[in-house]
Amino acid sequence: MQHVEKLDMAQDWIEVGKLADIPRLGARVVNSPLGDIAVFRTASDEVFALRDKCPHKGGPLSQGIVHGKRVACPLHDWKIHLDSGEAVAPDEGCAASFPVKLDGDTVLLSLAASDGCPNK
Amino acid sequence: MKEKLVMVGNGMAGVRTLEELLKLAPNAYDITVFGAEPYGNYNRIMLSPVLAGEKTIDDIMLNDEQWYVDNGITLKKGQEIVDIDRVNRKVIAADGSEQSYDRLLLATGSNPFMIPVPGNDLKGVISFRDIHDVDQMLAASKEHKHAVVIGGGLLGLEAANGLMQQGMSVTVVHLMDSLMERQLDKPAAAMLKRSLEERGLHFLMQAQTEAIIGDTRVEKVRFKDGTEIYADLVVMAVGIRPNTELAKKSGIHCERGVVVNDTLQTFDPRIYAVGECVQHRGIAYGLVAPLFEMGKVCANHLAKIGIGRYEGSMTSTKLKVTGIDLFSAGDFTGDENTEELVFQDAAQGVYRKLVVQENRIKGAVMYGDTIDGAWYFDLMRDETDISDFRNNILFGQAHLGDSGHGDDNRVAQMADSAEICGCNGVCKGDIVQAIGDKKLFTLEDVRAHTKASSSCGSCTGLVESLLAHTVGGDYSVAPHLKPMCGCTERSHDEVRVTIKDQELKSIRAVMDFLEWKTPDGCSKCRPALNYYLVCAWPQEGLDDYQSRFINERAHANIQNDGTYSVIPRMWGGGTSPKELRAIADVAEEYKVKTVHVTGGQRIALYGLKKEELPRIWKRLSDAGMVSGHAYGKALRTVKTCVGKEWCRFGTQDSTHLGIELEKMTWGSWTPHKFKMAASGCPRNCAEATIKDLGVVCVDSGYEIHVGGNGGVKVRATDLLCNVSSEEEVLEYTAAFMQLYREEAHYLERTAPWIERVGLTYVKERIVEDVDARKTLAERFLHSQKFAQVDPWKERAEGVDEHEFVPLKKVS
Ligand code: SRM
Ligand SMILES: Cc1cc2nc3c(=O)[nH]c(=O)nc-3n(C[C@H](O)[C@H](O)[C@H](O)COP(=O)(O)OP(=O)(O)OC[C@H]3O[C@@H](n4cnc5c(N)ncnc54)[C@H](O)[C@@H]3O)c2cc1C
Ligand code: SF4
Ligand code: FES
């Protein structure tokens, strides 16, 4: 995946918790100086991090229902791709994504948001 | 090496099948498409608006040539296939080139029928089927004046209207004495004829064409009775014949069309066929909706998933003439075994007829106001027993006991700026434009692209009407049962039955057993499955919180700014100084921005942070309060009035009864929210007759009313029965709730549920069948043993702590 390479170069990995702290098909929030970041865990234990703000009207994505590699926003049910932060077509918009990885069962997050999202 | 799939016929049904196939198995085949027409795939339906000058050819392209390139499909346009060598598995094109196949898909459409009269090959005599025909008509309209359209059916009238819009003087010639006789009865046809005449069309009825006369170009048309009329252009629109030529020639079994089975296979199992060229269970269809259904099933088999059968479709029709609202479905003529329900208001230009047999709709014809077409169509497809609302049925769904939003009905006459969807501010013009620009065919498509009808749903009828009006039929038709969502072909009922029969006890097990198409469902099916499991196996504690909507996961209502609201239960609308004090304290301490008295007789606190919730709940819980479930598909409130205790008119103790009802039912999860009320006399101050279940106390006892709704579409309750004691009220209520819990679809409130299954059925189960009532009530009370745990208290004590605290705070 594209952002994985990029993040290996980033220095400032922050330990945010254990994989088991995040429910499968769920998310938890990290409060950061950049605002809230939602860290998602899929059924297959992949982790993703997005700005906790829906591109539609700012709904907290962390509160949505996770399915496949998508989350359904709790406010008006837009679907957002967890990997890119892009809204699933035909909706348009994008939530900034953040590098996140697993070191064993530890979840590491970087605050260097991906490029290309207008609503960082 | 990949298998080779060859498709013959580059039209709407075939390409739709390929699209479905690409969704399921994008890399399964090397695909080659042969199309006799020199274009990509276009929306044939829209040829009528193109002719009328409302659209251009570019507007109606569905798949341009780039689409084929993007999907790795070889398109051989302008190439007709003239033969199939089934032994060596190859097709042969008109230019002699060959292409081998592993599987072959025939989608050759149909041919317009040209009546065999002398002169039918003259210049200026054409059919109405493809872009070429439309080009010829447009060219003729620039140079000539007189057009004659032979055939007063759907196609003929659309052609006539178009030519008239292009400035020609048009005469429609029809063999019968009534227009569109296959879709309309005589009164509706007469109204249609009158309004078309007002627009300037001429008609010659019961006229049999004998010859077309002219030297090289047509000049006149002569009829059996000897009359002649001038014509510079003759359009034949008298019917279509499935195009079976190629199939027949290569020895594939054909009757009227290419005969296929339920998996869309022809007599040669390597060869599939879809579309108008097909005959399935004796029927050849001529509308797009059933063809798309075929495409879906066929794609599934080509992708070797092998589930799904095509079992035939019901169709409905619309005439795409701007400003004319007309709808027809099913058998609208009837016979000695059927009855007719008719509503006619000639002054308003409104006509509706339903053909009914044993209280089930068999057919419908509507003219002037067709907003309810989709509803009648649903009732017909579901074979709903209409006896309970038959008296009102002709007034439309909006009038089933209500006021509703059902007034401004005539979509055809509405201005483009008319707001259709009040929730999302979407106007008629936006929707019509999106249907055209974005090539939308179904209600789901329109919802996704415009958001219209995607929130409260009260405008669904209007959107369906607009859709039908723009693309000419009911595109939401599923052949039999509506699937739950895009993740499965199964209907709600099938899923519920399977959960019970197979003793499935987790969402995973259901998805595996029923072969879900997505890895873990979506935000539509997961909450539904979760509910079905909780309802089926109350004792087992199967609740999967990650499949619940956030409100039910956090036990509070999410607000537009991401904060939450808290509404504690106030039994039967009553409260006490102690409770009020606790609420006041919390409100002060947590600086609650809004304290609001709700429409459900209790007090709501707004703007709370998620993290604060467990602490707030602890305070309320210490004062003896429990969750009000104002956030749940669950028992909500029981409104009461003061009743006999204080009121000079009170007949029974409605307040006490309300509290008893709430104590028995709180905590129960239901398909949609469930509200109750108890009024002390027929003055009905607690508004019991717009609740899911309402009790109206009378001198002799209690009236139990069900199926009311005060929301999106107001519906007054139906009277279930009268009983004489509080105990009976409780038993009937438990039984009614359990029946609803076990049989309604997820997110179906009691009002639409009762309209679907019929009050008679509910009465049979609850009132007439004593055993059924008692066992239902027992099952309800059994499940309540596990449901009546206050979620707030639990969480105040630490359950699901992760839900309420951040994973980490980084500074
Ligand atoms: C709080 C309250 C408004 C108020 O401040 O008074 C309210 C607030 C909401 N209502 Fe309501 N309704 C409230 C009483 C009503 C009533 C009146 C009543 O219950 O007597 C109705 C009409 C009666 C009925 O339901 O038949 C009502 C009909 C609706 C509907 C339409 C339901 C329908 O079947 O047509 C919705 C939408 C839905 O449920 O899909 C809705 C949905 C909502 C939601 C849940 C919208 C949402 O999803 O966020 C609102 C939640 C706000 C919140 O956070 O609390 N609310 N809502 C009322 C809470 C009552 C309570 O104490 O629990
Ligand atoms: C003017 C008009 C208005 C209509 N309005 C409506 C409406 O409002 N609602 C509705 O539901 N339906 C409507 N229809 C009907 C609808 O368009 C058809 O049901 C639908 O297009 C049929 O799809 P199909 O793929 O089976 O056939 P087609 O779309 O006709 O495609 C078949 C294609 O196969 C090609 N072909 C045939 N034989 C060969 C061969 N041997 N080799 C290569 N190519 C071949 C043909 O050239 C054609 O392009 C309308 C039709 C017309 C003409
Ligand atoms: S509280 Fe009810 S009526 Fe008011 S805005 Fe929300 S959903 Fe609409
Ligand atoms: S804010 Fe996310 S869908 Fe509206």
Side-chain angles (χ1 to χ4, degrees), chain A residues 29 31 63 66 68 77 91, chain B residues 451 520 526 564 610 807 810:
Chain A
V29 178
N31 300 143
Q63 314 292 296
V66 177
D77 208 34
D91 294 323
Chain B
K451 303 297 167 195
D520 30 47
R526 284 240 306 281
Y564 287 81
K610 201 177 182 193
L807 182 61
V810 181

Side-chain angles (χ1 to χ4, degrees), chain B residues 557-620:
Chain B
N557 234 314
I558 195 164
Q559 306 296 316
N560 54 16
D561 61 353
T563 63
Y564 287 81
S565 67
V566 162
I567 307 181
R569 205 165 278 290
M570 290 185 166
W571 305 96
T575 184
S576 67
K578 184 180 170 204
E579 288 183 352
L580 291 172
R581 205 167 278 130
I583 291 174
D585 287 346
V586 165
E588 260 179 12
E589 195 173 314
Y590 290 88
K591 301 195 174 60
V592 170
K593 283 210 194 85
T594 302
V595 181
H596 188 248
V597 175
T598 73
Q601 289 189 340
R602 29 201 208 173
I603 296 178
L605 306 175
Y606 283 90
L608 304 166
K609 295 199 193 69
K610 201 177 182 193
E611 272 185 85
E612 303 168 340
L613 294 174
R615 275 173 284 145
I616 291 171
W617 292 338
K618 166 123 193 9
R619 297 285 299 274
L620 298 172

Side-chain angles (χ1 to χ4, degrees), chain B residues 7-16 33-49 51 76 78-83 92-94 106-111 127-130 133-134 137 154-156 158-159 240 243 245-247 274-278 285-292 294 315-320 441 468-475:
Chain B
M7 182 167 98
V8 183
N10 186 31
M12 295 185 74
V15 177
R16 181 59 167 243
V33 174
F34 289 87
E37 291 185 74
Y39 310 97
N41 176 39
Y42 62 91
N43 190 345
R44 197 172 301 283
I45 295 174
M46 289 295 172
L47 288 178
S48 303
L51 180 63
K76 309 250 182 179
Q79 285 212 31
E80 190 185 346
I81 294 298
V82 292
D83 210 352
I92 297 121
L106 297 179
T108 49
S110 49
N111 292 324
S127 59
F128 185 20
R129 181 70 195 173
D130 54 26
D133 296 329
V134 173
M137 286 193 242
L154 269 176
L155 218 57
E158 288 183 12
I240 52 171
N243 180 357
E245 197 184 337
L246 181 63
V274 293
E276 279 189 347
C277 61
V278 153
Y285 293 95
L287 291 168
V288 167
L291 310 185
F292 284 3
M294 290 178 192
T315 54
S316 64
T317 12
K318 277 267 208 168
L319 181 70
K320 301 190 303 299
F441 286 101
H469 208 270
T470 318
V471 290
D474 184 342
Y475 287 86

Side-chain angles (χ1 to χ4, degrees), chain B residues 777-799:
Chain B
E778 272 164 31
R779 282 209 292 280
F780 180 77
L781 295 176
H782 174 72
S783 106
Q784 283 299 80
K785 285 192 210 147
F786 313 96
Q788 290 194 326
V789 181
D790 178 23
W792 287 1
K793 186 159 193 287
E794 274 188 315
R795 277 153 192 78
E797 288 166 356
V799 167

